Every structure is written in structure tokens, then in C-alpha cells.
């Protein structure tokens, strides 16, 4: 075999074993060692290699990188080719094709009727207010869109609809007539399609009024807004686990939920309640995001664990779910929210922006896994707390 010959002339440990082939896993392992935030190599598996062929000294390899949308950039592409060349010098030609994976749809019948062109619906929720749920919802949506997915965002937070401010838009959605009645056109900002409950309710309306209005409005947001084709529709949910939240969760056909928490115990206790709420209504948990994980002092570079350390990750382990990642406290994230310029656009090279991208890629993987393995079954086991 030619591959056997190739391997025999290769230097290194494989010679001793007399193993003939450069195997898929050897190549995979080499690629997985590349340290580049643009390449989400941690999630590559043998299944990510779609085509693998060695002929003479030429390798053709097709890899589906777990990016949510468009292809990897040129420098990341060259990094993969150079790594293979350096580690396997017997290969003189490398043909690398990068495939992008289309998000799999979690279509179910209710969703098909209400949101016919939407592949996945994700609730971003929290057990209590002020933990950065809206910040995470906005930035995840922006990250997914930046990587090439078609993304919509529904601001369902009746207690504080903040998405118009965070995305720098404040206009009423346009209404238009169709054969079946009047429809609403989502507002566009940063490549996202967006609708906010803030467009419909007055800030001074008491919450008791807002509750029933909210679930009615959310239903309308799903059926009467012209979303078109979307890979992801993200819902920024109202914080907490009361009746309003439960009604809302039950009115949306959800692919799954992301729960945002800060690391300290009071927040974790409420996050657990939120997880339990989703469990009760059979919404799969996609993972936990820990916000305000730590603070790096800009003058000294010293890390401060202001709200404690590792709470979100420990909770993920305790509940046997996935830790999507942590986001530090950074005034630039707050400023991005207040000024309507998300950090992923304002300072895309910052560590925080990269962390947000990383979390969005983890989320994409979780959605993919959920869609390929589960038929809506909840994967978590919860205690009584
Ligand atoms: P929630 O939706 O949970 O009520 P928000 O997303 O509105 O919380 O965030 C509350 C406040 O905290 C906002 O002013 C926001 O800009 C700020 N904030 C959120 N996350 C961070 C962070 N990682 N670093 C700095 N400020 C943050």
C-alpha cells in the first residue's frame, strides 16, 4: 500500500510500531492542538472529518469546523495546513476543504406552525435579575450572526426590556398587510432581526398588567412577525421563576434554554430554580453561562474573584449539564450595552469578545447535539433545591 510506504519513510515514533497509515486520528490530534480562538478545535471529533484520502504524498481532507456559519478565515486555514505539513513532512500536498455545518433544525409540530422558517428557538433565562441575562442574550445573538447564522432576537423581558438600548435601535416595527391580515416587520440591527416587548408596553405599566399582556404579545411576536428563515431565534426571558415566566416558557416551542448566573451562592440558588422550571415543562437545558466571573484589574493585570470562584461550573457538574463558559466583569461590556455598540463590534480583538464567541460556539454544538440525539428529552437530573 502506498500509505504503508509513506508511513515507513516517516521518521518518529510510528516507525517503531510499523503502523502503515497516517490515520485520521493522528491528523485530528495535530489539528486539535492548534491554539487559535478562531478555530474551535476543542469540539472537533472524528465525525468532523467528512472526507479523508491519502494518495501518494497527497492528502485530501474535508473538515467541518464547529463554527456556526461561514467559513474560517485565511490565517486560520493556513495554520491548519502548516500544522499538518510540519507534523507529517512526508505529505507534500495538502488539500484542505473546510465545510460549514448548517445548523440542524429542532423542528417540532408546534414550532413548524408558529415559526415555520425558524430552525432553533433558545430561551436565555436567569433565576434573578441583574446577573447580565440580557447582556448575554444580546451578545450571543450578535456572535451567532457575526459567524454567519441568520439570527432573530425577541426581547421578552417585561420587567426591563433593554435590548433596544443595548443594540442602539429605538424604532417601531413596520406593519404591512398580507392576504392573512397585518404582519410586523422586525427591526434590524447588527445583522439581527429584533422585536422588543418595550415597543408595546409602557415603562410605567404595573407588572401585574404586563404578565398577561406579555404572554399574548410573545405569541404574537411568533405568529405575526415576518421572521423569514432563521437559524436561531433567541428569547431574552424575564428573570425569575414565577407564574409569568412559567406561562411564557410554556407558550414558546423551545429547542432549549440557557441559564445565566453569577458565581455567588444567592444567584446559584435561583439559577437552580430556573433549571428546575425548565425541567418541569420538559424544555432541554443547553447549558449554563457564568457572567461576572472575575475582574482583571487593568493597571496590574491581577485577577479578582469578586463574586466567588467556579460557581457556574460547579452547578453544571452538579446538575450534569454543560458549562458554556464564563464572562468576566469588564466596564467595556457595560459600556457596550449602554452605548448600543456590542463589544464584539466595538473591540472584537478583546479577550471578552473572544470569550463570547467561544460561548456561542459551545452553544451551537449543544444545539446540534440536542437536535441529533434528543427528541426533547430533558437531560438533567435535579435535586430538591
Ligand atoms: P439582567 O438582564 O440579568 O437584568 P443586564 O444584562 O441588564 O442584566 O445587566 C445588568 C447590568 O450589568 C447592565 O448595566 C450591564 O451592562 C451590566 N453587565 C452585565 N454583564 C456585565 C459584565 N460582564 N461586565 C460588566 N458589566 C456587565
Amino acid at each position: 500500500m502506498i500509505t504503508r510506504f509513506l508511513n515507513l519513510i516517516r521518521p518518529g515514533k510510528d516507525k517503531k510500531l510499523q503502523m502503515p497509515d497516517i490515520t485520521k486520528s493522528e491528523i485530528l490530534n495535530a489539528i486539535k492542538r492548534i491554539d487559535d480562538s478562531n478555530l474551535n478545535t476543542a469540539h472537533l471529533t472524528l465525525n468532523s472529518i467528512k472526507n479523508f484520502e491519502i494518495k501518494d504524498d497527497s492528502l485530501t481532507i474535508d473538515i467541518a469546523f464547529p463554527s456556526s456559519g461561514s467559513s474560517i478565515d485565511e490565517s486560520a486555514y493556513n495554520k491548519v495546513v502548516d500544522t499538518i505539513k510540519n507534523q507529517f513532512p512526508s505529505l507534500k500536498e495538502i488539500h484542505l476543504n473546510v465545510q460549514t455545518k448548517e445548523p440542524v433544525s429542532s423542528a417540532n409540530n408546534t414550532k413548524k406552525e408558529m415559526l415555520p422558517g425558524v430552525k432553533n428557538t433558545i430561551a436565555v433565562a436567569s433565576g434573578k435579575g441583574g446577573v447580565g441575562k440580557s447582556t448575554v442574550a444580546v451578545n450571543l445573538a450578535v456572535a451567532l450572526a457575526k459567524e454567519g447564522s441568520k439570527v432573530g432576537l425577541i426581547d421578552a423581558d417585561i420587567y426591563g426590556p433593554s435590548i433596544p438600548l443595548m443594540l442602539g435601535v429605538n424604532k417601531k416595527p413596520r406593519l404591512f398587510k398580507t392576504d392573512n391580515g397585518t404582519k410586523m416587520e422586525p427591526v434590524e440591527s447588527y445583522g439581527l432581526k429584533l422585536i422588543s416587548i418595550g415597543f408595546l408596553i409602557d415603562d410605567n405599566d404595573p407588572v401585574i398588567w404586563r404578565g398577561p399582556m406579555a404572554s399574548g404579545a410573545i405569541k404574537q411576536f411568533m405568529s405575526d412577525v415576518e421572521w423569514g428563515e432563521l437559524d436561531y431565534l433567541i428569547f431574552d426571558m424575564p428573570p425569575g421563576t414565577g407564574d409569568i415566566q412559567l406561562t411564557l416558557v410554556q407558550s414558546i416551542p423551545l429547542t432549549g434554554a440557557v441559564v445565566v448566573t453569577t458565581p455567588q451562592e444567592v444567584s446559584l440558588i435561583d439559577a437552580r430554580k430556573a433549571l428546575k422550571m425548565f425541567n418541569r415543562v420538559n424544555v432541554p437545558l443547553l447549558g449554563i453561562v457564568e457572567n461576572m466571573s472575575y475582574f482583571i484589574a487593568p493597571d496590574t493585570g491581577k485577577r479578582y474573584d469578586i463574586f466567588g470562584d467556579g460557581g457556574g461550573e460547579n452547578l453544571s457538574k452538579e446538575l450534569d449539564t454543560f458549562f458554556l463558559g464564563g464572562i468576566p466583569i469588564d466596564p467595556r461590556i457595560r459600556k457596550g450595552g449602554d452605548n448600543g455598540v456590542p463589544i464584539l463590534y466595538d473591540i472584537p480583538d478583546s479577550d471578552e469578545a473572544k470569550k463570547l464567541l467561544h460561548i456561542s460556539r459551545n452553544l451551537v454544538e449543544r444545539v446540534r447535539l440536542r437536535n441529533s440525539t434528543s427528541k426533547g428529552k430533558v437531560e438533567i437530573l435535579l435535586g430538591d433545591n
Side-chain angles (χ1 to χ4, degrees), residues 222-256:
M222 290 188 282
S223 54
D224 296 354
V225 172
E226 191 56 47
W227 291 109
E229 299 285 315
L230 291 180
D231 296 318
Y232 302 97
L233 180 58
I234 312 276
F235 293 78
D236 182 18
M237 304 297 285
T241 50
D243 288 345
I244 290 174
Q245 290 80 354
L246 195 62
T247 312
L248 265 187
V249 166
Q250 286 172 311
S251 23
I252 309 170
L254 285 167
T255 303

Side-chain angles (χ1 to χ4, degrees), residues 88-158:
F88 305 94
S90 60
L91 294 172
K92 301 291 178 242
E93 269 182 48
I94 293 158
H95 304 279
L96 168 68
N97 301 304
V98 173
Q99 297 179 350
T100 53
K101 290 198 220 165
E102 277 291 304
V104 190
S105 170
S106 68
N108 64 33
N109 288 339
T110 335
K111 175 135 62 53
K112 265 197 214 138
E113 276 162 33
M114 282 180 113
L115 297 161
V118 177
K119 286 186 179 149
N120 295 291
T121 42
I122 298 170
V124 177
S126 67
K128 71 194 219 62
V131 298
K133 169 189 53 63
S134 298
T135 305
V136 170
V138 164
N139 282 292
L140 281 184
V142 169
L144 291 168
K146 218 175 173 211
E147 297 228 291
S149 294
K150 294 187 197 115
V151 186
L153 179 60
I154 292 186
D155 185 355
D157 187 348
I158 50 168

